[in-house]
Amino acid sequence: MQRLYVMALYATRPETDFGESIDHEVSLRVAMTVAASDEEARGKGLAQLGEWCPPIDGWVNHHVTLNILPKESLKNLLDAVSDDPPENDRVDAIDWPDLIM
């Protein structure tokens, strides 16, 4: 059985400033995938995160947090989105649905 997974993808990249201070760059992204298991979804998330934040560029602490989005919730979300473009292409003209999580 396939499920729709919503994932938070996280990685950090430590950087030093002449050894005086340490700053960390953080990448936090949201992604979705269809997978048959948590392991498959996590693997897809880690693979994508590895492309966006490659270890060779100094990215570390790659982490994926999973959440399943039920089919009914997705249908409700899609039903709440209008097919008509917003007036003047303004984002604030869209009647956004509540966050689902």
Side-chain angles (χ1 to χ4, degrees):
M1 173 168 52
Q2 298 287 327
R3 291 186 172 145
L4 178 61
Y5 287 86
V6 178
M7 303 177 288
L9 309 176
Y10 171 86
T12 61
R13 179 164 52 181
E15 296 181 359
T16 59
D17 184 16
F18 304 108
E20 296 174 12
S21 66
I22 298 176
D23 294 323
H24 289 283
E25 184 177 355
V26 175
S27 176
L28 179 60
R29 299 169 184 249
V30 175
M32 296 174 72
T33 191
V34 174
S37 67
D38 290 0
E39 293 79 20
E40 180 185 358
R42 184 168 279 108
K44 288 180 177 183
L46 284 171
Q48 183 61 61
L49 187 56
E51 288 182 29
W52 286 333
C53 303
I56 196 161
D57 290 342
W59 289 97
V60 296
N61 299 326
H62 292 77
H63 183 74
V64 175
T65 301
L66 300 176
N67 196 351
I68 296 171
L69 182 62
K71 192 173 184 178
E72 192 60 35
S73 295
L74 180 60
K75 286 180 182 179
N76 292 340
L77 179 64
L78 292 174
D79 286 343
V81 177
S82 173
D83 289 333
D84 300 325
E87 296 176 20
N88 301 325
D89 292 325
R90 291 180 43 165
V91 172
D92 59 354
I94 298 173
D95 183 21
W96 294 101
D98 292 335
L99 180 66
I100 299 175
M101 291 255 187

